[in-house]
């Protein structure tokens, strides 16, 4: 037997297919421990544990219900398996989860190949297997996405057995019916959208029966009986799949004829998550998403072998060209329908989609299978060897590109963008790359390796779920997670992701952020930045002050004023309270806090005035009564003139920043009354008169300030501004 003949044998092709599948499984399992945690995982991990408590309590523990986040509307099959795996494993809880999810991802890839084999043979099946495996976005999510990847696996299994069911009508094999029922049940146990597969089953059963009746005009009575009785198959399969689909879904199991349809209604109009998305270079709200959002995301993130397959797909139905090599064009049409229909449905319904096309990853297996059929058929149908070789080389090149990218950028496979989008370099600042924050693991590992191991380094990460960062920080004794603002001094390193630009529009424009000491890249596109704290106490104080003067939240301002008072920062207490009064002129708490602060500054006349205003609003307000009484009792205290002059000078700055220039001028004059040589008070008067356009007065006070302190550049600049204002 010749070598070509040997490799054309069916059993050899089958062995090659399963050898490739085994290699893919080994790769996915071996690398599954390299990935970070997605935002969703802490919630999903907890959901799995709650489901286990439900079953172990005999249904009494209903803590799995979460009315806020609606996680109970999802089936719990994948989460229950991962929770059980963690109880049996001594490894890291998330690494164990990722191993289980990788197995689901492998199932999706495996059945992509089996579906293509059903359409056009083992060679095409092997090609589809590789197509799904070499789709980097899908591969990356197969390591941590426990909602979309397991559903994709269940969908792929169901579609594979559906094509076998259609082929075997009117009397499908028992194994086919069992596989289809279990596949649909698996899908429902993950997401209520699995009910769509029952609709597919009914639709294609009817289409198949009508096709048989149209093709076979004179059929024997036994054949007619088979066709009449065939309605039992979708009925029994659908019923079994529905109820089996509730076994790992406590909420659905509790009321099987009500809760699944409630979940379907709520999930079809999912409004819990209010998202902003970077799309085509601008941040858009979820309701601004254009109709082509999903098609474009698919187009720019699948490899070229799938993009070209989509372009050539219509030719697969032509007998004159590629279609000659297609085993079953009707089953190919079914495959096209099951990946196109969900996309069209979402476009028509204007469903809430975000984070790229991860919610539709389940269309990847039939999409990969269809693309493989197109390529295999194209190569087989070309008559000249040179043309076949050229097509094979083109295909190999399109497969080598994502394979090399995955190897080069591991473990960031899910950040892949097609050359049609300019790769990831072209996508940076146009599309979200690490919207799930899975690179935080690598960020923590860099800090652990490069920070001082002889002291505790405080690490902050503002964006995303706290546990996604803290879980890895806990592995290092010299690292500590802190949840503090950027303006705080209480951190050493910060992890910044480009996706945070949805809350700070300047972040991407000014990338990398100030203080960056390290960046991670996929190709040349930055994935995250490590920032070292460069702030001084003075910078932090100024940043806090800026926030107070710009705030429009009265309640927050009152809370801040109390915080400042308790810290002994009476000037900022006054600033926050006065800012609150600008927004709410009858706020008794603001007047009372000002009275407290002025008492602290020993400015008892002003304290009495503010207390009186608070009592005018609410005569029975006890705190104001106390502050007013204290101010009145101490108005005759002898306070050093220098102290009073300093306080009035500082307050003049506060009122100037608030825009209350008349009060600022009055406080400057008080400061000069107590200390006639107070150069800062004269300078502040110069600045205030500049602001109101009274340049003559500004020059007079500016010259006095410079006379008292000729070395001050600030004083000279203010005087120069005043003199320029006097010029015609």
């Amino acid at each position: 037997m010749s070598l070509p003949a040997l490799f054309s044998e069916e059993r050899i092709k089958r062995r090659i297919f399963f050898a490739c599948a085994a290699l893919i499984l080994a790769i996915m399992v071996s690398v599954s421990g390299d990935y970070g945690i997605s935002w969703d995982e802490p919630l999903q991990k907890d959901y799995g544990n709650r489901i286990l408590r439900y079953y172990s309590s005999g249904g009494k523990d209903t803590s799995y219900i979460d009315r806020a986040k609606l996680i109970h509307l999802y089936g719990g099959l994948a989460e229950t398996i991962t929770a059980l795996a963690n109880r049996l494993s001594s490894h890291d809880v998330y690494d164990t989860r990722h191993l289980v999810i990788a197995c689901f991802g492998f199932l999706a890839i495996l059945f992509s190949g089996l579906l293509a084999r059903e359409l056009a043979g083992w060679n095409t099946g092997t090609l589809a297997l590789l197509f799904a495996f070499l789709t980097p976005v899908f591969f990356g999510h197969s390591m941590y996405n426990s909602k979309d990847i397991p559903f994709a696996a269940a969908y792929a299994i169901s579609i594979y057995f559906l094509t076998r069911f259609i082929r075997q009508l009117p009397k499908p094999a028992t194994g086919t019916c069992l596989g289809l029922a279990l596949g649909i049940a698996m899908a429902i146990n993950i997401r209520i959208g699995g009910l769509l597969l029952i609709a597919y089953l009914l639709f294609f059963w009817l289409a198949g029966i009508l096709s048989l009746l149209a093709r076979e005009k004179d059929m024997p009575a036994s054949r007619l009986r088979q066709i009449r009785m065939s309605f039992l198959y979708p009925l029994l399969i659908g019923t079994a799949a529905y109820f089996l689909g509730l076994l790992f879904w406590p909420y659905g199991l509790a009321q099987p004829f009500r809760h699944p349809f409630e979940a379907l209604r709520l999930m079809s109009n999912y409004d819990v998550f209010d998202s902003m998305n970077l799309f085509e270079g601008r941040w858009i709200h979820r309701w601004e998403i254009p109709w082509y959002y999903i098609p474009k995301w698919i187009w720019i993130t699948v490899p070229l072998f799938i993009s070209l397959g989509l372009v050539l797909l219509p030719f697969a139905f032509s007998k004159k060209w590629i279609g000659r090599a297609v085993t079953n064009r009707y089953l190919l049409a079914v495959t096209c329908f099951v990946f196109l229909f969900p996309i069209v449905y979402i476009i028509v319904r204007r469903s809430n989609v975000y984070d790229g096309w991860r919610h539709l990853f389940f269309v990847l297996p039939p999409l990969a299978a269809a693309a493989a059929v197109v390529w295999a058929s194209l190569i087989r149908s070309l008559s000249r060897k040179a043309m076949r070789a050229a097509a094979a080389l083109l295909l190999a090149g399109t497969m080598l590109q994502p394979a090399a990218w995955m190897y080069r950028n591991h473990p960031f496979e899910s950040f892949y963008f097609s050359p049609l989008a300019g790769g990831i370099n072209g996508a940076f600042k146009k599309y979200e790359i690490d919207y799930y924050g899975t690179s935080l693991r690598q960020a923590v590992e860099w800090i652990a390796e490069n920070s001082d191991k002889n002291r505790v380094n405080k690490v902050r990460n503002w964006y995303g779920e706290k546990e996604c960062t803290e879980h890895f920080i806990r592995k290092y004794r010299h690292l500590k997670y802190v949840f503090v603002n950027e303006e705080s001094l209480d951190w050493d390193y910060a992890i910044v992701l480009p996706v945070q630009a949805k809350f700070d529009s300047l972040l991407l424009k000014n990338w990398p952020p100030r203080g960056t000491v390290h960046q991670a890249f996929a190709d040349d596109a930055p994935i995250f930045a490590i920032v070292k704290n460069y702030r001084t106490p003075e910078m932090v104080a100024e940043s806090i002050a800026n926030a107070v003067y710009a705030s429009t939240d009265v309640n927050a301002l009152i809370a801040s004023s109390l915080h400042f008072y308790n810290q002994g920062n009476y000037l900022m207490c006054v600033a926050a309270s006065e800012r609150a009064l600008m927004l709410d002129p009858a706020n008794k708490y603001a007047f009372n806090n000002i009275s407290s602060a002025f008492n602290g500054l020993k400015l008892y006349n002003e304290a009495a005035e503010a207390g009186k205003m608070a009592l005018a609003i609410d005569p029975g307000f006890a705190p104001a009564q106390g502050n007013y009484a204290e101010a009145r009792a101490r108005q005759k205290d002898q306070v050093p003139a220098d102290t009073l002059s300093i306080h009035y000078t500082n307050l003049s700055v506060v009122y100037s920043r608030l825009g209350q220039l008349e009060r600022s001028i009055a406080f400057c004059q008080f400061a000069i009354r107590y200390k006639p040589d107070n150069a800062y008070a004269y300078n502040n008067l110069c600045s205030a008169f500049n602001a109101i356009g009274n340049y003559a007065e500004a020059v007079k006070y500016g010259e006095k300030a410079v006379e008292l302190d000729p070395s001050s550049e600030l004083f000279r600049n203010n005087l120069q501004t005043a003199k320029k204002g006097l010029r015609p």
Side-chain angles (χ1 to χ4, degrees):
M1 183 180 292
S2 66
L3 189 63
L6 177 65
F7 278 92
S8 67
E9 293 182 2
E10 193 76 4
R11 58 193 177 90
I12 299 299
K13 295 175 183 177
R14 184 171 62 249
R15 288 175 181 174
I16 291 172
F17 175 91
F18 283 107
C20 289
L23 179 61
I24 289 171
L25 176 60
I27 292 172
M28 295 181 74
V29 168
S30 65
V31 303
S32 64
D34 298 342
Y35 296 81
I37 305 168
S38 77
W39 303 146
D40 291 338
E41 283 197 85
L43 176 65
Q44 291 162 342
K45 173 176 68 70
D46 182 60
Y47 182 45
N49 291 329
R50 290 169 185 259
I51 291 175
L52 288 184
R53 290 202 295 270
Y54 167 81
Y55 287 111
S56 62
S57 68
K60 294 178 181 179
D61 187 332
T62 59
S63 61
Y64 65 86
I65 297 176
D66 187 336
R67 299 294 181 186
K69 297 183 179 179
L70 302 184
I71 188 68
H72 60 280
L73 298 181
Y74 288 93
L77 175 63
E79 307 309 337
T80 304
I81 293 174
T82 56
L84 280 170
N86 272 312
R87 290 196 177 185
L88 299 173
S89 171
S90 59
H91 295 291
D92 178 274
V93 61
Y94 287 103
D95 285 350
T96 301
R97 277 181 56 83
H98 295 170
L99 175 61
V100 173
I101 298 167
C103 291
F104 277 109
F106 168 73
L107 284 176
I109 292 170
L110 174 65
F111 278 88
S112 300
L114 290 174
L115 173 60
R117 180 265 171 189
E118 195 70 20
L119 299 176
W122 284 111
N123 284 344
T124 306
T126 301
L127 194 58
L129 189 77
L130 295 174
F131 277 9
F133 172 65
L134 293 176
T135 300
V137 172
F138 190 84
F139 179 92
H141 276 262
S142 292
M143 301 299 154
Y144 49 75
N145 187 336
S146 65
K147 283 194 295 190
D148 303 310
I149 294 302
F151 187 77
Y155 194 82
I157 293 169
S158 301
I159 298 305
Y160 165 72
F161 282 107
L162 179 63
T163 57
R164 292 179 63 87
F165 178 86
I166 294 168
R167 186 194 293 274
Q168 295 167 3
L169 280 173
K171 192 176 181 181
T174 302
T176 298
C177 295
L178 182 61
L180 183 53
L182 291 177
I184 298 174
M186 178 180 170
I188 296 172
N189 268 304
I190 297 166
R191 186 181 287 169
I192 189 59
L195 288 177
L196 177 65
L197 291 162
I198 296 178
Y200 286 171
L201 171 62
L202 293 171
F203 174 77
F204 287 113
W205 165 78
L206 181 60
I209 293 302
L210 292 176
S211 176
L212 283 173
L213 292 173
R215 289 198 315 268
E216 302 181 24
K217 300 296 184 182
D218 300 317
M219 58 181 67
S222 59
R223 182 73 163 171
L224 282 172
R225 279 196 302 273
Q226 282 184 341
I227 290 175
R228 282 197 298 269
M229 295 300 294
S230 69
F231 81 94
L232 290 174
Y233 292 108
L235 178 64
L236 294 174
I237 291 170
T239 302
Y242 181 84
F243 288 102
L244 288 173
L246 306 179
L247 289 181
F248 295 93
W249 183 18
Y251 191 69
L253 194 61
Q255 294 191 36
F257 297 106
R258 176 187 169 192
H259 284 173
F261 298 100
E262 174 192 326
L264 182 64
R265 175 178 57 83
L266 292 172
M267 298 307 289
S268 297
N269 300 279
Y270 187 72
D271 290 329
V272 172
F273 187 69
D274 193 19
S275 64
M276 290 288 290
N277 300 268
L278 181 61
F279 187 70
E280 297 180 335
R282 69 186 188 95
W283 291 100
I284 56 177
H285 190 267
R286 61 188 173 95
W287 294 122
E288 299 176 293
I289 288 175
W291 67 267
Y292 58 87
Y293 177 84
I294 290 295
K296 184 162 188 180
W297 261 108
I298 294 174
W299 183 252
I300 64 177
T301 57
V302 295
L304 289 174
F305 52 74
I306 289 184
S307 303
L308 292 172
L310 281 171
V311 171
L312 296 173
L313 185 57
F315 294 104
F317 296 95
S318 170
K319 291 183 180 180
K320 293 182 180 180
W321 191 34
I322 299 176
R324 288 179 300 176
V326 176
T327 302
N328 191 317
R329 282 189 298 278
Y330 175 65
L331 292 183
L332 178 60
V334 171
T335 303
C336 294
F337 176 87
V338 297
F339 77 72
L340 284 172
F341 176 77
I343 299 171
V344 173
Y345 180 82
I346 279 180
I347 292 172
V348 172
R349 287 292 305 270
R350 296 186 62 85
S351 300
N352 179 20
V353 289
Y354 47 88
D355 294 348
W357 61 291
R358 67 179 180 83
H359 300 97
L360 279 95
F361 278 164
F362 62 90
V363 305
L364 188 277
L367 177 57
V373 168
V374 170
W375 278 102
S377 301
L378 170 64
I379 293 171
R380 285 201 301 264
S381 66
L382 294 173
S383 56
R384 296 182 180 179
K385 288 184 178 180
M387 294 178 66
R388 287 199 299 272
L393 283 174
L394 175 62
L395 174 59
T398 62
M399 295 173 71
L400 182 61
Q401 188 271 332
W405 197 94
M406 293 166 72
Y407 178 80
R408 189 171 64 248
N409 293 289
H410 176 76
F412 299 147
E413 291 90 347
S414 60
F415 307 161
Y416 174 85
F417 282 84
S418 164
L420 296 174
I424 193 171
N425 297 343
F428 181 60
K429 297 189 179 183
K430 293 181 181 178
Y431 302 94
E432 291 178 86
I433 295 175
D434 188 14
Y435 49 75
Y436 246 162
T438 56
S439 63
L440 290 173
R441 177 176 189 160
Q442 285 69 37
V444 171
E445 289 171 351
W446 186 91
I447 295 172
E449 180 63 27
N450 293 276
S451 59
D452 185 351
K453 297 179 176 61
N454 295 316
R455 71 179 188 88
V456 174
N457 298 270
K458 297 178 180 178
V459 182
R460 66 173 294 274
N461 171 235
W462 174 78
Y463 185 79
E465 290 292 328
K466 174 182 176 183
E467 186 173 345
C468 296
T469 308
E470 190 175 18
H471 176 78
F472 297 108
I473 286 176
R474 285 196 295 263
K475 295 177 182 289
Y476 303 97
R477 292 184 178 181
H478 65 292
L479 299 185
K480 178 183 178 182
Y481 178 85
V482 290
F483 190 68
V484 294
N485 292 327
E486 182 182 5
E487 292 79 11
S488 170
L489 290 173
D490 194 29
W491 59 273
D492 300 296
Y493 294 93
I495 304 169
V496 182
L497 304 178
V499 71
Q500 293 175 216
K502 66 175 63 180
F503 301 107
D504 178 4
S505 60
L506 297 177
L507 180 60
L508 282 180
K509 294 179 181 178
N510 299 323
W511 189 272
R514 183 180 178 185
T516 294
V517 293
H518 173 72
Q519 292 186 79
F521 295 89
D523 285 352
D524 295 324
I527 303 302
F528 61 76
I530 305 296
V531 174
K532 197 166 184 179
N533 201 344
Y534 58 87
R535 289 163 179 78
T536 63
E538 292 75 20
M539 293 171 65
V540 172
E542 182 61 21
S543 177
I544 293 171
N546 288 337
V548 167
Y549 290 118
S551 177
T552 57
D553 187 332
V554 173
N555 291 332
L557 286 164
I558 296 301
S560 293
S561 70
L562 285 171
H563 175 71
F564 289 130
Y565 178 81
N566 291 329
Q567 287 185 324
N569 191 343
Y570 301 127
L571 293 174
M572 285 307 300
C573 176
V574 171
S577 300
E578 289 284 8
R579 177 63 184 164
L581 286 173
M582 293 171 69
L583 302 167
D584 180 11
N587 192 301
K588 65 181 182 180
Y589 301 102
F591 279 118
N592 176 66
N593 292 352
I594 291 171
S595 180
S596 297
F598 280 141
N599 275 331
L601 292 169
K602 301 182 180 1
L603 302 180
Y604 300 115
N605 291 333
E606 287 76 9
E609 179 185 346
K612 186 176 180 180
M613 294 296 294
L615 292 173
I617 297 167
D618 183 359
F621 188 32
Q625 290 173 346
N627 283 318
Y628 179 69
E630 180 183 354
R632 291 284 293 171
R634 303 189 64 178
Q635 276 180 315
K636 294 182 180 180
D637 284 4
Q638 295 296 316
V639 182
D642 282 355
T643 299
L644 294 173
S645 184
I646 290 171
H647 290 333
Y648 281 127
T649 302
N650 290 336
L651 283 165
S652 72
V653 176
V654 170
Y655 283 98
S656 177
R657 292 189 67 171
L658 288 165
Q660 299 181 27
L661 296 175
E662 291 184 3
R663 193 111 193 246
S664 176
I665 290 169
F667 279 130
C668 286
Q669 290 169 341
F670 291 159
I672 292 169
R673 180 188 305 169
Y674 287 105
K675 188 179 181 184
D677 62 348
N678 187 332
Y680 284 96
Y682 285 109
N683 174 71
N684 292 354
L685 281 169
C686 176
S687 180
F689 281 115
N690 275 336
I692 62 178
N694 189 341
Y695 297 110
E697 286 293 297
V699 168
K700 180 176 71 174
Y701 290 114
E703 288 178 339
K704 183 65 175 176
V706 171
E707 176 188 336
L708 291 168
D709 186 357
S711 65
S712 174
E713 185 177 352
L714 174 64
F715 297 175
R716 293 198 304 272
N717 288 341
N718 282 330
L719 176 59
Q720 186 178 6
T721 300
K723 288 180 176 179
K724 285 181 180 178
L726 278 177
R727 295 172 188 168

